[in-house]
Amino acid sequence: MRIVLRIGGSVLGSPPSAKMVEAYAKVVADLTFEGHSIGVVVGGGQIARDYIRSTAQMGLSNYQQDTIAIHASRLNARLVAMKLGGVSSVPTSIDGILQRLARNRVAVMGGLKPGITTDTVAAMVAQKWHADLLVKASDQAGVYTSDPRTDKKAKKLDHLTYEKMREILGGAHKPGIHSIIDPVAVDQLLQSRIRLVVLNGDDPRGVIKAVHGDKIGTLVS
Ligand code: UTP
């Protein structure tokens, strides 16, 4: 299978936990051993948001805040890439990661451009690469009926349609947005209809379960 794995920066930690990076590297190695190809897209986490705050306090634009945050995600991506096989750079374009995926079983990238998050980068890679599955390893157990951080009555959904996902998660981008799936990615997925599993990234082995089709997190199809 062609799999895009989006690892939330909040899952890796800020700075990234060595244990977590190693655990994800093992998951990627195990999946490639099973014959899968994997495009990994890594987020910037709290460090990206700290930079966004400083940039905003300096009176700089949303575009500049996003631009700075992208560098944080690329730093995390590079760390993950190094652990996976000593790659010395990460691609900064969709074509760049696709070229690497044409040559190798695994390629890693971080952010792409202002106005989105790495959720959208992952959705774009998945669409252009004709991926079979997109997995988002997040800091929540899946997609909820509303934001579980602010609504105690929020219920986790096991399965939902792209349309329902848009009803729950649609909206507009802003720098540092912390949504389970960012609104631009939601629109992108509504178009491409790539199968998506959102799961709790604290257990990296959950990704393997999602690839094997076991019930985990939230399936969007
Ligand atoms: P990330 O996509 O790096 O977030 O976006 P994350 O840390 O993994 O988030 P979680 O863990 O899913 O919550 C962080 C910020 O970086 C900018 C945006 O400001 C975004 O909110 N960004 C990231 C871009 O502008 N473009 C990109 O391509 C990626």
Side-chain angles (χ1 to χ4, degrees), residues 133-150:
L133 178 68
L134 168 59
V135 180
K136 163 120 193 225
S138 81
D139 58 358
Q140 284 176 27
V143 180
Y144 286 71
T145 46
S146 53
D147 189 339
R149 291 166 302 179
T150 51

Side-chain angles (χ1 to χ4, degrees), residues 6-11 42-46 48-49 52 62-63 65-70 72-73 76 110-119 121 136-139 173-180 182:
R6 149 87 170 104
I7 309 175
S10 49
V11 168
V42 185
Q46 189 55 44
R49 291 181 179 89
I52 287 171
N62 283 2
Y63 187 95
Q65 292 168 41
D66 280 346
T67 301
I68 286 294
I70 289 168
S73 63
N76 281 352
L112 177 67
K113 60 177 183 185
I116 57 174
T117 79
T118 49
D119 285 343
V121 179
K136 163 120 193 225
S138 81
D139 58 358
H173 172 81
K174 65 174 193 297
I177 184 170
H178 191 78
S179 171
I180 185 86
D182 92 59

Side-chain angles (χ1 to χ4, degrees), residues 23-41:
Y24 273 100
K26 175 86 172 65
V27 163
V28 170
D30 288 354
L31 288 172
T32 53
F33 184 75
E34 287 181 13
H36 304 292
S37 297
I38 307 174
V40 185
V41 181

Side-chain angles (χ1 to χ4, degrees), residues 6-22:
R6 149 87 170 104
I7 309 175
S10 49
V11 168
L12 291 182
S14 288
S17 130
K19 229 175 109 188
M20 219 45 174
V21 173
E22 279 168 4

Side-chain angles (χ1 to χ4, degrees), residues 1 5 35 40 47-48 58-59 68 85 108 121 123 141 181 184 190 208 218:
M1 266 208 280
L5 171 59
V40 185
I47 287 177
M58 288 155 63
I68 286 294
V108 187
V121 179
I181 297 288
V184 187
L190 187 65
I208 294 179
T218 299

